[in-house]
Amino acid sequence: MNAGKPVHEPSGLSGLDERRRTWVTEAWEHVSGERLRELIVGLVGTASPTGDERPVAELIAGNLASVGLRAACQPIDARQANAWARLEGDGTGPDLMLYAPNDTLTVGDESEDVPWIGPKLREDMRPVATVYDDLVTGLGASNPKGHAACVMMAAEAIALAGIPLTGDLVAAFGAGGMPTNARPSSDRLNTGQGVGCSFLLEQGVYTDYAVIAKPGWTVSWDEVGLVWFEVTVHGTHTYVGSRHRLPYDNAISRAADVVRHLEQWFANYAKRHTGGTVAPQGIVSSVRGGWPR
């Protein structure tokens, strides 16, 4: 994440009246590369693989409470937690949530990540922040912790500027944001797939509108959603020495045909359903089967 470049006069203020232009300018005076770097270094240096986000949730809540927001760490269980903070308005306008997930898909430990992520862990695959001038590297520095740092910085700047709000501003950081099943060490099966966001809503932390901070170069107003399918390919058990004498229907060979056809279908599906700001994609993510013995 680039965090050290000087902050300039905000642009894109056309359409705002003079009062609102003043508020935006006052908030920007509390945004600095140094503070943003401090936030992202703290987030990256606090490991938060899916299912173990409580330490980073406590860090986020503490940071936001220190600048005057009503902040809380919201435990889901002993290891997993959300963080949220509220800056209250006067109640005459709608509430807005700035949201970012706070977990990383990989762990930063060879015992879990290798060989799936590659032959070895690079510097940017470990939960240790390294600063190169205005560049911060480390596990999650770009996604999702870079986005979480920006949400924290925005909420902090608005709070310090004392901008009068009509509706509440809520900064929320959800655990289990990664589209993944539970890790082997987890005590619960449902630690990913947006479980933290669901828990926030179930416990009453919701708003009229929300802006979700995720990768991209524009504001997206739609979302493709996620779905998983498990496909079972059947065959007939056989023995290599008697292949020429027994019924032969190799499920592994047939599964390869299914994968090949699916890969072709995914590309066509994306073309047919691209629209707005989304282009839905598909992959074959894993194969399990056979009898090595």
Side-chain angles (χ1 to χ4, degrees):
M1 175 185 180
N2 288 318
K5 290 186 179 301
V7 177
H8 301 289
E9 180 77 7
S11 59
L13 300 182
S14 60
L16 297 180
D17 59 35
E18 188 60 33
R19 182 177 58 169
R20 287 176 171 78
R21 289 173 62 92
T22 300
W23 289 341
V24 173
T25 302
E26 289 175 351
W28 269 99
E29 291 177 354
H30 295 278
V31 176
S32 69
E34 291 75 16
R35 177 55 176 160
L36 190 58
R37 183 190 296 113
E38 181 182 0
L39 291 173
I40 186 62
V41 166
L43 293 176
V44 172
T46 306
S48 58
T50 303
D52 284 282
E53 301 93 334
R54 186 160 183 165
V56 80
E58 292 173 346
L59 174 71
I60 292 171
N63 268 276
L64 293 177
S66 70
V67 294
L69 281 85
R70 180 161 61 90
C73 173
Q74 183 189 53
I76 301 174
D77 64 18
R79 295 168 52 181
Q80 190 168 40
N82 299 318
W84 62 271
R86 185 181 296 270
L87 187 61
E88 295 181 352
D90 63 17
T92 63
D95 298 337
L96 173 66
M97 177 182 289
L98 304 180
Y99 179 86
N102 64 12
D103 60 317
T104 59
L105 175 65
T106 54
V107 180
D109 188 311
E110 286 85 350
S111 64
E112 283 198 42
D113 296 343
V114 175
W116 318 112
I117 199 171
K120 62 180 181 179
L121 295 184
R122 301 190 307 260
E123 178 185 84
D124 60 314
M125 297 175 178
R126 299 182 183 277
V128 178
T130 304
V131 179
Y132 300 95
D133 297 325
D134 62 346
L135 177 67
V136 178
T137 66
L139 181 58
S142 173
N143 181 19
K145 295 187 175 182
H147 309 107
C150 290
V151 170
M152 294 174 69
M153 184 81 267
E156 180 176 304
I158 293 170
L160 292 174
I163 296 174
L165 302 177
T166 55
D168 292 359
L169 175 67
V170 175
F173 309 84
M178 293 298 166
T180 178
N181 297 323
R183 292 162 41 226
S185 61
S186 177
D187 300 323
R188 294 192 351 260
L189 294 178
N190 60 329
T191 58
Q193 319 290 2
V195 64
C197 183
S198 296
F199 193 73
L200 280 166
L201 299 177
E202 292 164 3
Q203 298 300 310
V205 184
Y206 55 83
T207 56
D208 300 290
Y209 299 95
V211 177
I212 302 171
K214 287 296 287 181
W217 304 107
T218 186
V219 176
S220 300
W221 59 86
D222 44 11
E223 173 60 58
V224 296
L226 300 168
V227 63
W228 279 255
F229 296 96
E230 185 173 292
V231 179
T232 300
V233 180
H234 296 282
T236 301
H237 171 70
T238 189
Y239 171 59
V240 63
S242 304
R243 169 176 172 160
H244 59 301
R245 301 179 61 186
L246 299 173
Y248 184 77
D249 187 4
N250 191 329
I252 295 176
S253 176
R254 294 179 63 193
D257 290 334
V258 172
V259 170
R260 178 171 53 84
H261 286 294
L262 281 174
E263 287 294 325
Q264 294 172 350
W265 184 82
F266 290 145
N268 292 328
Y269 180 88
K271 292 179 181 178
R272 294 197 309 272
H273 295 279
T274 295
T277 57
V278 296
Q281 306 293 324
I283 64 166
V284 177
S285 61
S286 65
V287 178
R288 179 179 57 196
W291 194 14
R293 287 179 52 215

